[in-house]
Amino acid sequence: MTSVYAQRRARLAAQLGAGGIAIIPTAPERQRNRDTGYLYRHDSYFYYLTGFAEPNACLVLAADGTSVLFCQPKDLEREIWDGIRLGPEAAVATLGVSQAFSSAEIDTRLPRLLENRGRLWYPFATHEGLAVRVEGWLGQVRARVRFGALCPAEQGDLCTLLDEMRLVKDAHEQDIMRRAAAISAQAHIRAMQRSARMLRAGQEVREYHLDAELLHEFRQQGSQYVAYGSIVAAGANACVLHYQADKAPVHAGELVLIDAGCELDGYASDITRTFPADGRFTGPQRALYELVLDSQKAAVAATRAGARFNDPHDATVAVLAQGMLDLGLLDRKVYGNAQDVIEQRAFFQFYMHRTGHWLGMDVHDCGSYVEPSELGQSHERKDPLSGETITNRPSRILRPGMCTTIEPGIYVRPAAGVPEQFHNIGIRIEDDAIVTETGCELITRGVPVEPDEIEALMRD
Ligand code: GLY
Ligand code: MN
Ligand code: MN
């Protein structure tokens, strides 16, 4: 049976054009200090085409479908220290590539592989130093033109092909993403319950206690990494969008915002929940929470095949704008109605990010947000807040299998005219959605969003 990776290589090869050849390296190892490295994580493009997670590897794929892998050679001494290596001999059968060689041979073998090819593809601006290495390999091809060798005359950005492929998740990918999402959902529940339990017992809770629960559940269920640095933000820290889990105390009566997701088998999950530290929302907290939840429901309803990527954002903003007026966050005497709030972008004071992003192997996954078939259609508009001229292009039309987050929020920093009861409240609700023909599948609802359900699970 052909592996999903071989199938993807075949699909990519068919797009390289006659005489095309592609180079796809994995990620480099990075030194943390002295002889200690950062935890290694493969390159997503490389893994998408190989399923191979070892460092020091590079795939070369030709338009006729033949593939050559360069990988770490077997080396007893290094394997004693660093772990077992697949090695080139086993790689052919295990990974289904046509040929495999030691990565030590890449500089001698690659120029020969590039000879007489019309176009060379590699990912532009993603691997530091790769363009320079490519120049070196092509230089060696040029050195042989006297002997009749032809040097590729064209270069193409392989990201343009791979990004489109990765944007629509196949069944294999969707299955892993559902599992990653389920683990992350359980981790959020674990953190919520620990917060309430410790506060009820009169114990001091800090953000890192809740972070520990997330990590425990991620690893307990076999996830290899966090998909990004977990945000565990108590009280006013929730208004700092990129706050990282730290040591601040978690107080009863405050909200906690957790934005955390695991990476499982190369795929990210990305969940945010905001909950009362002791398990009971106060009135003002619940009012703001329900507004964000209503805006998320509107965004979910706007997420389906045929809709635009921007539609869920526009649906969110419409609900938030009205709610900001109704709750007195924005002054009706200044903004008569929700349309004014939207046109003047007044909501930006409390909602300053987009409602979603592609999700996949990378948490902010690859893929154009502009509809490729409508690239030429653009119009300029002036931003009402900054005065900047912005070029808008038609937003991407959603297709089944695309995966996006849906993550509205509201962040109330103290300011003149803003009701004090809402000061320092930060709320975001984030779920991961797979687009379907008729709507979307929310794969992160293993952890609830309804305030009553959150209170209930924190009582148990
Ligand atoms: N956790 C990153 C994001 O929500 O975009
Ligand atoms: Mn996100
Ligand atoms: Mn997130």
Side-chain angles (χ1 to χ4, degrees):
M1 197 184 71
T2 333
S3 71
V4 288
Y5 307 105
Q7 289 169 22
R8 291 174 193 156
R9 290 196 296 271
R11 274 180 59 211
L12 178 62
Q15 298 174 66
L16 298 179
I21 190 161
I23 300 173
I24 309 105
T26 195
E29 294 176 288
R30 299 210 186 266
Q31 186 183 340
R32 189 164 190 265
N33 49 47
R34 298 184 182 270
D35 59 351
T36 301
Y38 281 104
L39 186 60
Y40 182 72
R41 204 284 193 169
H42 55 260
D43 174 78
S44 296
Y45 292 124
F46 177 83
Y47 189 81
Y48 182 73
L49 296 169
T50 61
F52 187 50
E54 281 186 29
N56 299 314
C58 183
L59 177 71
V60 181
L61 181 68
D64 65 2
T66 54
S67 52
V68 178
L69 181 79
F70 293 93
C71 64
Q72 299 181 125
K74 296 295 282 180
D75 179 330
L76 184 58
E77 162 130 21
R78 285 322 319 161
E79 291 183 60
I80 287 170
W81 286 91
D82 300 333
I84 196 144
R85 296 174 170 189
L86 180 63
E89 290 76 23
V92 173
T94 305
L95 304 176
V97 291
S98 316
Q99 286 183 296
F101 302 102
S102 162
S103 38
E105 296 179 39
I106 193 165
D107 287 334
T108 49
R109 287 191 180 270
L110 238 181
R112 298 307 290 264
L113 292 171
L114 301 184
E115 270 185 32
N116 307 322
R117 304 281 177 176
R119 172 180 287 217
L120 169 61
W121 297 86
Y122 63 94
F124 288 1
T126 52
H127 295 72
E128 208 180 318
L130 178 60
V132 174
R133 292 191 77 190
V134 166
E135 290 282 298
W137 293 324
L138 290 178
Q140 289 190 51
V141 179
R142 275 206 208 288
R144 289 175 46 81
V145 293
R146 281 183 294 130
F147 307 105
L150 298 177
C151 193
E154 292 176 22
Q155 294 188 13
D157 182 5
L158 194 63
C159 298
T160 58
L161 305 182
L162 282 172
D163 288 356
E164 283 299 299
M165 289 175 68
R166 282 175 53 188
L167 186 52
V168 177
K169 276 68 184 173
D170 59 37
H172 176 260
E173 297 182 287
Q174 290 183 24
D175 176 57
I176 302 173
M177 291 184 72
R178 285 189 191 94
R179 286 190 283 124
I183 295 171
S184 298
Q186 286 173 33
H188 276 260
I189 290 179
R190 205 182 157 100
M192 288 178 187
Q193 291 184 328
R194 173 137 189 222
S195 179
R197 196 170 58 240
M198 286 180 74
L199 287 173
R200 273 201 302 268
Q203 292 165 343
E204 183 187 68
V205 184
R206 299 217 170 227
E207 291 165 343
Y208 53 70
H209 290 126
L210 308 187
D211 192 29
E213 296 300 316
L214 299 167
L215 291 170
H216 175 95
E217 195 67 26
F218 291 169
R219 291 297 282 150
Q220 177 69 23
Q221 297 210 42
S223 118
Q224 295 86 355
Y225 310 99
V226 288
Y228 50 91
S230 301
I231 296 171
V232 179
N237 292 336
C239 293
V240 179
L241 294 180
H242 288 163
Y243 185 84
Q244 298 270 308
D246 200 355
K247 59 180 184 306
V250 175
H251 298 296
E254 286 182 344
L255 293 177
V256 182
L257 183 155
I258 295 185
D259 182 346
C262 70
E263 178 177 309
L264 179 73
D265 298 343
Y267 287 82
S269 53
D270 184 6
I271 302 181
T272 307
R273 289 292 182 268
T274 311
F275 58 91
D278 56 359
R280 288 295 298 267
F281 284 95
T282 65
Q285 289 168 354
R286 189 180 265 259
L288 278 188
Y289 186 93
E290 284 178 345
L291 172 57
V292 176
L293 185 55
D294 285 348
S295 79
Q296 198 206 31
K297 286 175 181 168
V300 170
T303 304
R304 62 173 180 283
R308 301 268 174 180
F309 176 80
N310 275 353
D311 290 348
H313 179 70
D314 293 342
T316 283
V317 165
V319 173
L320 290 181
Q322 185 61 51
M324 286 173 193
L325 290 172
D326 294 345
L327 293 175
L329 287 171
L330 292 173
D331 190 347
R332 267 190 205 284
K333 291 202 275 304
V334 180
Y335 309 100
N337 57 39
Q339 201 51 40
D340 293 341
V341 172
I342 294 166
E343 274 167 18
Q344 297 180 49
R345 226 154 59 83
F347 61 85
F348 194 78
Q349 180 181 354
F350 306 108
Y351 182 49
M352 58 299 272
H353 59 76
R354 304 280 304 170
T355 304
H357 53 80
W358 304 132
L359 180 76
M361 302 185 109
D362 305 335
V363 63
H364 293 173
D365 207 29
C366 60
S368 173
Y369 289 92
V370 173
E371 177 56 33
S373 60
E374 298 171 343
L375 263 185
Q377 301 173 30
S378 65
H379 74 272
E380 295 199 334
R381 65 176 177 86
K382 221 183 190 55
D383 182 80
L385 294 182
S386 65
E388 233 180 301
T389 302
I390 294 169
T391 305
N392 274 356
R393 293 199 160 79
S395 138
R396 189 92 200 205
I397 297 172
L398 298 177
R399 284 167 48 199
M402 289 180 175
C403 188
T404 177
T405 63
I406 304 178
E407 48 176 310
I410 228 169
Y411 313 91
V412 186
R413 288 173 173 271
V418 174
E420 217 165 295
Q421 57 178 348
F422 298 131
H423 283 190
N424 293 315
I425 295 181
I427 294 169
R428 179 164 62 256
I429 306 172
E430 175 173 30
D431 283 285
D432 303 345
I434 299 174
V435 176
T436 65
E437 210 55 78
T438 52
C440 66
E441 176 190 346
L442 297 178
I443 60 176
T444 38
R445 284 296 172 84
V447 52
V449 288
E450 292 293 337
D452 290 344
E453 290 177 40
I454 289 175
E455 288 188 347
L457 79 85
M458 293 183 74
R459 270 196 300 274
D460 297 336

mmCIF file of all heavy atoms in Angstrom, residues 414-432:
data_model
loop_
_atom_site.group_PDB
_atom_site.id
_atom_site.type_symbol
_atom_site.label_atom_id
_atom_site.label_comp_id
_atom_site.label_asym_id
_atom_site.label_seq_id
_atom_site.Cartn_x
_atom_site.Cartn_y
_atom_site.Cartn_z
ATOM 1 N N PRO A 414 -8.345 49.367 31.598
ATOM 2 C CA PRO A 414 -8.974 50.536 32.228
ATOM 3 C C PRO A 414 -8.745 51.786 31.376
ATOM 4 O O PRO A 414 -7.646 51.997 30.877
ATOM 5 C CB PRO A 414 -8.232 50.661 33.568
ATOM 6 C CG PRO A 414 -7.640 49.311 33.817
ATOM 7 C CD PRO A 414 -7.353 48.723 32.474
ATOM 8 N N ALA A 415 -9.802 52.548 31.183
ATOM 9 C CA ALA A 415 -9.690 53.788 30.400
ATOM 10 C C ALA A 415 -10.867 54.674 30.773
ATOM 11 O O ALA A 415 -11.909 54.184 31.237
ATOM 12 C CB ALA A 415 -9.719 53.485 28.900
ATOM 13 N N ALA A 416 -10.695 55.946 30.543
ATOM 14 C CA ALA A 416 -11.759 56.898 30.864
ATOM 15 C C ALA A 416 -13.022 56.516 30.098
ATOM 16 O O ALA A 416 -12.964 56.200 28.908
ATOM 17 C CB ALA A 416 -11.318 58.310 30.478
ATOM 18 N N GLY A 417 -14.158 56.541 30.802
ATOM 19 C CA GLY A 417 -15.433 56.270 30.141
ATOM 20 C C GLY A 417 -15.787 54.796 30.054
ATOM 21 O O GLY A 417 -16.891 54.441 29.662
ATOM 22 N N VAL A 418 -14.855 53.916 30.424
ATOM 23 C CA VAL A 418 -15.128 52.474 30.363
ATOM 24 C C VAL A 418 -15.637 52.036 31.743
ATOM 25 O O VAL A 418 -14.959 52.273 32.745
ATOM 26 C CB VAL A 418 -13.851 51.684 29.994
ATOM 27 C CG1 VAL A 418 -14.102 50.190 30.066
ATOM 28 C CG2 VAL A 418 -13.354 52.096 28.620
ATOM 29 N N PRO A 419 -16.852 51.445 31.811
ATOM 30 C CA PRO A 419 -17.406 51.078 33.126
ATOM 31 C C PRO A 419 -16.417 50.253 33.960
ATOM 32 O O PRO A 419 -15.847 49.274 33.471
ATOM 33 C CB PRO A 419 -18.640 50.247 32.770
ATOM 34 C CG PRO A 419 -19.002 50.666 31.385
ATOM 35 C CD PRO A 419 -17.731 51.057 30.706
ATOM 36 N N GLU A 420 -16.268 50.680 35.205
ATOM 37 C CA GLU A 420 -15.233 50.091 36.069
ATOM 38 C C GLU A 420 -15.424 48.590 36.311
ATOM 39 O O GLU A 420 -14.459 47.851 36.467
ATOM 40 C CB GLU A 420 -15.242 50.824 37.408
ATOM 41 C CG GLU A 420 -13.857 50.992 37.973
ATOM 42 C CD GLU A 420 -13.839 52.008 39.094
ATOM 43 O OE1 GLU A 420 -14.099 53.200 38.837
ATOM 44 O OE2 GLU A 420 -13.607 51.571 40.226
ATOM 45 N N GLN A 421 -16.689 48.163 36.290
ATOM 46 C CA GLN A 421 -16.951 46.745 36.580
ATOM 47 C C GLN A 421 -16.307 45.804 35.541
ATOM 48 O O GLN A 421 -16.132 44.624 35.801
ATOM 49 C CB GLN A 421 -18.452 46.492 36.646
ATOM 50 C CG GLN A 421 -19.183 46.894 35.372
ATOM 51 C CD GLN A 421 -20.672 46.581 35.460
ATOM 52 O OE1 GLN A 421 -21.106 45.880 36.361
ATOM 53 N NE2 GLN A 421 -21.463 47.091 34.527
ATOM 54 N N PHE A 422 -15.964 46.376 34.365
ATOM 55 C CA PHE A 422 -15.363 45.536 33.316
ATOM 56 C C PHE A 422 -13.844 45.675 33.245
ATOM 57 O O PHE A 422 -13.200 44.980 32.450
ATOM 58 C CB PHE A 422 -15.951 45.897 31.940
ATOM 59 C CG PHE A 422 -17.436 45.668 31.832
ATOM 60 C CD1 PHE A 422 -18.279 46.656 31.332
ATOM 61 C CD2 PHE A 422 -17.999 44.456 32.223
ATOM 62 C CE1 PHE A 422 -19.645 46.446 31.218
ATOM 63 C CE2 PHE A 422 -19.366 44.237 32.123
ATOM 64 C CZ PHE A 422 -20.190 45.236 31.623
ATOM 65 N N HIS A 423 -13.294 46.576 34.045
ATOM 66 C CA HIS A 423 -11.855 46.831 33.942
ATOM 67 C C HIS A 423 -11.038 45.560 34.161
ATOM 68 O O HIS A 423 -11.330 44.768 35.054
ATOM 69 C CB HIS A 423 -11.414 47.881 34.983
ATOM 70 C CG HIS A 423 -11.779 49.282 34.592
ATOM 71 N ND1 HIS A 423 -11.314 50.399 35.263
ATOM 72 C CD2 HIS A 423 -12.557 49.764 33.583
ATOM 73 C CE1 HIS A 423 -11.801 51.488 34.702
ATOM 74 N NE2 HIS A 423 -12.559 51.128 33.682
ATOM 75 N N ASN A 424 -10.025 45.413 33.345
ATOM 76 C CA ASN A 424 -9.042 44.319 33.464
ATOM 77 C C ASN A 424 -9.615 42.931 33.191
ATOM 78 O O ASN A 424 -8.993 41.926 33.531
ATOM 79 C CB ASN A 424 -8.365 44.331 34.854
ATOM 80 C CG ASN A 424 -7.502 45.552 35.020
ATOM 81 O OD1 ASN A 424 -6.750 45.911 34.107
ATOM 82 N ND2 ASN A 424 -7.608 46.215 36.171
ATOM 83 N N ILE A 425 -10.771 42.875 32.603
ATOM 84 C CA ILE A 425 -11.301 41.565 32.194
ATOM 85 C C ILE A 425 -10.838 41.285 30.764
ATOM 86 O O ILE A 425 -10.997 42.120 29.869
ATOM 87 C CB ILE A 425 -12.844 41.542 32.264
ATOM 88 C CG1 ILE A 425 -13.297 41.692 33.722
ATOM 89 C CG2 ILE A 425 -13.380 40.237 31.672
ATOM 90 C CD1 ILE A 425 -14.817 41.666 33.888
ATOM 91 N N GLY A 426 -10.259 40.121 30.567
ATOM 92 C CA GLY A 426 -9.854 39.679 29.228
ATOM 93 C C GLY A 426 -10.479 38.321 28.973
ATOM 94 O O GLY A 426 -10.364 37.411 29.807
ATOM 95 N N ILE A 427 -11.171 38.203 27.858
ATOM 96 C CA ILE A 427 -11.875 36.944 27.542
ATOM 97 C C ILE A 427 -11.595 36.576 26.090
ATOM 98 O O ILE A 427 -11.690 37.419 25.195
ATOM 99 C CB ILE A 427 -13.409 37.104 27.726
ATOM 100 C CG1 ILE A 427 -13.728 37.336 29.220
ATOM 101 C CG2 ILE A 427 -14.155 35.866 27.197
ATOM 102 C CD1 ILE A 427 -15.162 37.763 29.471
ATOM 103 N N ARG A 428 -11.248 35.319 25.873
ATOM 104 C CA ARG A 428 -11.196 34.795 24.499
ATOM 105 C C ARG A 428 -11.758 33.373 24.542
ATOM 106 O O ARG A 428 -11.554 32.655 25.540
ATOM 107 C CB ARG A 428 -9.756 34.782 23.961
ATOM 108 C CG ARG A 428 -9.642 34.229 22.546
ATOM 109 C CD ARG A 428 -8.315 34.562 21.834
ATOM 110 N NE ARG A 428 -7.135 34.023 22.474
ATOM 111 C CZ ARG A 428 -6.277 34.732 23.205
ATOM 112 N NH1 ARG A 428 -6.475 36.018 23.404
ATOM 113 N NH2 ARG A 428 -5.230 34.161 23.757
ATOM 114 N N ILE A 429 -12.471 33.014 23.509
ATOM 115 C CA ILE A 429 -12.986 31.650 23.369
ATOM 116 C C ILE A 429 -12.516 31.177 22.001
ATOM 117 O O ILE A 429 -12.846 31.800 20.991
ATOM 118 C CB ILE A 429 -14.529 31.603 23.453
ATOM 119 C CG1 ILE A 429 -15.027 32.287 24.741
ATOM 120 C CG2 ILE A 429 -15.013 30.151 23.385
ATOM 121 C CD1 ILE A 429 -16.548 32.462 24.801
ATOM 122 N N GLU A 430 -11.734 30.107 21.981
ATOM 123 C CA GLU A 430 -11.116 29.668 20.721
ATOM 124 C C GLU A 430 -11.355 28.192 20.484
ATOM 125 O O GLU A 430 -11.019 27.353 21.324
ATOM 126 C CB GLU A 430 -9.595 29.923 20.768
ATOM 127 C CG GLU A 430 -8.876 29.391 19.543
ATOM 128 C CD GLU A 430 -7.407 29.793 19.495
ATOM 129 O OE1 GLU A 430 -6.798 29.972 20.568
ATOM 130 O OE2 GLU A 430 -6.871 29.904 18.378
ATOM 131 N N ASP A 431 -11.934 27.890 19.326
ATOM 132 C CA ASP A 431 -12.117 26.499 18.914
ATOM 133 C C ASP A 431 -11.508 26.280 17.540
ATOM 134 O O ASP A 431 -11.266 27.229 16.794
ATOM 135 C CB ASP A 431 -13.610 26.162 18.896
ATOM 136 C CG ASP A 431 -14.138 25.946 20.311
ATOM 137 O OD1 ASP A 431 -13.843 24.893 20.888
ATOM 138 O OD2 ASP A 431 -14.799 26.866 20.849
ATOM 139 N N ASP A 432 -11.266 25.011 17.234
ATOM 140 C CA ASP A 432 -10.674 24.633 15.949
ATOM 141 C C ASP A 432 -11.763 23.989 15.091
ATOM 142 O O ASP A 432 -12.482 23.103 15.574
ATOM 143 C CB ASP A 432 -9.527 23.627 16.171
ATOM 144 C CG ASP A 432 -8.454 24.186 17.095
ATOM 145 O OD1 ASP A 432 -8.450 25.421 17.326
ATOM 146 O OD2 ASP A 432 -7.620 23.397 17.592
#
